[in-house]
Structure formats: structure tokens, C-alpha cells
Amino acid sequence: MRQAGSGGVRSGRRPVRRVVSLVPSLTEAVAESAPELLVGVTDWCSHPVGLAAPRIGGTKNPRVAEIVRLAPDLVLANEEENRAPDLDALRAAGLRVRETRVRSLPEAFAELDSVLTADCGLPRPGWLDEAESAWAALPGAGPRRSVAAVAPVWRRPWIVLGRDTFAGDLLHRLGVRNQWAEEEERYPRIALDRLLAARPELVVLPDEPYRFTASDGPEAFPGVPSALVSGRHLTWYGPSLAEAPAVLGEQLAAARVR
């Protein structure tokens, strides 16, 4: 859904006409409104399909010198997706880096609005309003029983969602209680025997960052219902948020009725 306009002027700053995005979800967010702004994106920026912007490496290993040569007005980054040394190098080269912080759904909505309207000078997109409405329509706190779950994001070693994560907040709003939400680390490494000893009622297995499949993941949790879910809808903060409640809700519900 493309919105009118392609980069405005803010007081004291030149117009943003050239953007490098180091975050796949922010790439999609900008591309839905003004794809012509994107002059560089990561190898992991897979949406929207057919995005033609030049690739500048991965989120953890961007080619800094190449980004500098692209002379962007703005580099979009995230505290979790990107490494501080790379962002420091970009700043040292004189580039403006906007580092987002997203650990909850409200933070995602606030950062998206700020990046698109204040930083890029774009009109607020309709999909952002649709996403806020979709999540607001979910049942609120009340007698609904939550399901105790473990949500791995990697194996060999097993790494799971811990405290203070965006994906964990989404699962909470969908009636899933993360058994490891009180861990000191945000993404703790937990041995499989400990995960099983916690007696989860559900294991949530996204297809990214680790690509869990029906034959790679569920077998480690015998007797526990497994929900194979869309990693893009669980971990991306962008246009996918508008359909995420329905997509994830259906995938979670399907696992519980098997």
C-alpha cells in the first residue's frame, strides 16, 4: 500500500532522499511507502518481494565502506539487529544513523511512526493504523488462561526467548506465557533437559532466525504440541504487524487442537 510523498524537509536538516536500511522490517516499512528512498539494504531484506535496492551485506556484517560510498542521508539500524562497531564506524564517517529500540509492541508502533514520519518525512501509512487496530481488537487481560510455552529461536545450542523481547510481548498478547520470561538474559541458552523439565504445554517454533520445520524441532519435545509459526509475523515490526494477530493466532490454535 503506497502512500503519497517521498521524503520531506525537517527544520535544520536536509531532506531525506537516500536511505540505507540495515533492518529487514524497517526496509519493508519504508518500501511500502517510498521504495525510491532505499539506496541500500541487507541481504536479509526479503520483503517486499522484488525489492530492487542494492545489497550491502548482512545485518551483522554490513560492508561499511560501501555504505559510505552510497552517501545516504539516513541509515536505519536497530540495537538488536546490528553491531555497535559497525554503527560507530558509520557515524565516524559522518553519516546519520537512526538506531531504533523495539522490545514491545507499543515501542514498535512508536518507533515506526517516528522513523517514517519524523526521520524520513513520509505521511503516516495506512497499514500502521490497521496494525494498531488489529492488535487493539484482541481480548484484553481477564479470565483467559494463558498457555505455558517455550519459544526457541535457535538450536545447537538451544536459545529461547527470555525477558523483555518484542516476540515475547506478541506471544503474551496472544495468550502464550513464556516460561523463561524471568531469565536474566533476553535470549538465554537453556539446555534441552531443562526446557523439558519445565513441562511446557506448547513449544513455539518460528521459521527464523533458525528455520524450524516439521522435521527439525518438534521431535526434541516429544508429547508437547508444537506450533510452527511465521518468523516474519512474530519478529518483524513493519507492515506484517497488520496481519500478524490473525496469522499467528491461527498457527497457535492449530497446534493446540492437534
Side-chain angles (χ1 to χ4, degrees):
M1 168 189 322
R2 185 187 170 108
Q3 305 293 320
S6 61
V9 180
R10 257 159 323 285
S11 175
R13 281 190 180 141
R14 64 182 180 182
V16 170
R17 302 297 186 192
R18 300 173 63 81
V19 174
V20 167
S21 174
L22 303 181
V23 186
S25 52
L26 294 180
T27 296
E28 184 179 16
V30 174
E32 284 292 318
S33 295
E36 67 275 10
L37 292 185
L38 292 168
V39 297
V41 300
T42 76
D43 298 339
W44 300 104
C45 293
S46 57
H47 287 74
V49 176
L51 184 65
R55 305 290 166 159
I56 45 74
T59 57
K60 299 292 192 282
N61 57 346
R63 295 188 289 273
V64 171
E66 190 171 320
I67 295 172
V68 173
R69 285 195 296 271
L70 288 170
D73 303 309
L74 178 67
V75 177
L76 298 178
N78 175 263
E79 60 158 5
E80 187 171 296
E81 292 268 8
N82 310 118
R83 301 185 317 124
D86 294 323
L87 304 186
D88 289 343
L90 292 170
R91 293 186 181 100
L95 298 184
R96 178 184 164 211
V97 177
R98 171 66 157 88
E99 186 175 8
T100 57
R101 180 188 191 275
V102 176
R103 299 189 181 187
S104 68
L105 184 63
E107 282 187 345
F109 288 145
E111 287 283 52
L112 285 166
D113 182 84
S114 178
V115 164
L116 295 171
T117 64
D119 293 301
C120 292
L122 300 170
R124 179 179 165 92
W127 60 258
L128 187 51
D129 294 326
E130 293 169 10
E132 290 190 340
S133 296
W135 283 96
L138 290 176
R144 181 179 59 160
R145 179 181 177 276
S146 61
V147 177
V150 57
V153 293
W154 203 260
R155 73 179 299 180
R156 304 183 191 94
W158 287 97
I159 301 176
V160 303
L161 293 180
R163 64 170 183 84
D164 198 23
T165 67
F166 171 71
D169 186 40
L170 263 56
L171 289 175
H172 171 73
R173 293 168 187 274
L174 292 165
V176 175
R177 177 172 61 82
N178 179 10
Q179 291 180 299
W180 302 95
E182 301 304 318
E183 287 290 302
E184 182 177 349
E185 296 181 36
R186 297 180 62 228
Y187 297 96
R189 297 186 180 193
I190 308 291
L192 182 59
D193 58 351
R194 284 188 64 200
L195 297 178
L196 295 173
R199 301 175 66 86
E201 299 173 290
L202 180 70
V203 55
V204 180
L205 299 170
D207 59 12
E208 63 174 82
Y210 185 93
R211 189 171 182 79
F212 288 105
T213 66
S215 60
D216 184 359
E219 82 290 343
F221 298 85
V224 182
S226 297
L228 294 167
V229 303
S230 165
R232 174 169 166 261
H233 290 93
L234 181 62
T235 65
W236 288 36
Y237 35 91
S240 59
L241 280 173
E243 58 186 20
V247 171
L248 294 173
E250 290 176 6
Q251 292 170 334
L252 293 169
R256 293 189 225 175
V257 299
R258 288 191 187 118

